[in-house]
Each structure stands twice: as structure tokens, then as C-alpha cells.
Amino acid sequence: MGALAILVLLASLQAPSPAPVAVTARDAGRLEGTARISTRLTSTRMRVRVYNEPGDLGSSPPPAAGNPFANVVLYLEDASGLAAPQPTSAEMPAMRQHDERFTPHVLAVTMGTAVSFPNDDPIYHNVFSLSRARTFDLGRYPKGESKSLRFDRAGIVQVFCHIHADMNGYILVLPNRYFVTPDSSGRFVIEGIPAGEYQLVAWHERIRPIVTRVRVAAGQTTTLEVSIPLTESTKP
């Protein structure tokens, strides 16, 4: 090997690796559309109380009763093109204990997010999970107190209360920021997506995830309709 070739090789070994290219608005695309679900999916969940106690608040309607899409999450599955910096927010997302329910019933967050669990009820609650993505037990605490926890592993975390057996909620810990809950009419928009081909996943606790392949072009809007049929029988 000649001296010039050796110098070129040494220079290539010492050169720093190129930094990741930031996705600009010009390089990114937009995904928008409408979600449609089975009418059976919008039925009110039955609440089963093992016992009553002073301060029982279980008779009030669930907050999401008028919005059939409140517990639906649409997200793009992780891929190399989605490894974008996560946006920072000064406000910590919360799953409240309110009227003996976890509110919201479904909360989607990105990996590394801390979630607070405030107790708004005039009774003690407990927050725990045995899920593979995050196992924890925050113990009992009264009205006005709050505890928080960081979620670093992607997956579905089902949340319960030891004291009230019918209380449950879901935290979807997602590996990227490209997710959305449709509005009450089913319309959704996901902005700033790097150009590429992806799988859009529609999630609801009562169905198997619905997967739709989508192609996002730079500087363009991809429009689609997502159908979410009820494929499994519901259980009270």
C-alpha cells in the first residue's frame, strides 16, 4: 500500500461520524384522516362494585361517554426514520383518580416521560401495575396528594387500584412522538413525519390493534380513513 493510500485511510478512521440530519418542515410530511369505529365499541363499560363505602362516587357517568374516540390511540410504529428528538413539555401528564376512575382512562406518552397520579377523591386510593413494561405499587394516599413515576420502556401498562377492584386505566408508552387521539368526530392529524413508509396502528383496549400501511411524502399530506371494527367480544 502506497504512502498516500495509508494517509487517506488514517484520515478516514480519525474523522468524526456525521451527525444525524435534522428533519426540517420541508423534508417532513403530514398524515390526516378520519377514524370510524363499530357502534358497539362506544357502549358504556359496566362498572362492577364488590362493595360500597362512604364517599362512593361510582354512580356518575364516565367523562368520555360523549366521545367514542377518547380511548383510541393512533400511532406510527417505530422505525429508523422516526428516531427524532422528543419534544419537551414543562407540564407533566397526569392520570387522575377522579370519581373513582382513572382519568383519562387511556393516556399515551413517549418513553422517558414521568406521569403523575393525583387523588381528587375524598377517599384513599392506590395505584399499581403488574404489567411487563412497568411494574410498580405507589401505595395508599388520600385526597390532595399525588405521586409520580417515570416510564422508560415501551409497552402497554395497565393500571389498577388495590382498594377499588373496578378501577383500571391504560398507559401506552410509545417509542416516538408520532401518535394522536382522534377528536370526537374521528378526525386526526399527525404532523412533521419524516418521509417514508410506515405502519399506522389503531389501538383500543377492546380490540386487537388494527394496522394500516401508509406512505408519507416530503412536503405532502397523506389522507386516509381508518376502520376500527370490534373483532373481539367485550366483557364487563
Side-chain angles (χ1 to χ4, degrees), residues 40-153:
R40 290 178 61 195
L41 192 62
T42 66
S43 60
T44 303
R45 295 189 309 123
M46 183 182 297
R47 288 171 53 84
V48 179
R49 291 311 311 262
V50 178
Y51 56 86
N52 292 322
E53 63 180 18
D56 184 5
L57 306 174
S59 59
S60 59
N67 182 2
F69 299 97
N71 298 329
V72 173
V73 178
L74 305 177
Y75 63 90
L76 294 180
E77 283 196 324
D78 197 29
S80 58
L82 298 182
Q86 306 299 333
T88 58
S89 174
E91 185 175 354
M92 182 184 300
M95 176 174 275
R96 312 190 76 87
Q97 299 148 72
H98 186 79
D99 287 353
E100 289 192 24
R101 294 181 176 89
F102 287 113
T103 304
H105 179 65
V106 174
L107 177 66
V109 300
T110 54
M111 289 169 48
T113 299
V115 176
S116 65
F117 298 89
N119 183 0
D120 297 337
D121 288 338
I123 52 178
Y124 277 83
H125 282 303
N126 164 278
V127 182
F128 79 98
S129 177
L130 300 177
S131 301
R132 182 177 301 178
R134 191 69 160 93
T135 299
F136 62 91
D137 189 334
L138 300 183
R140 293 162 50 103
Y141 52 100
K143 179 179 181 178
E145 290 192 10
S146 178
K147 297 187 178 183
S148 62
L149 199 67
R150 180 183 167 103
F151 294 84
D152 292 317
R153 183 177 179 182

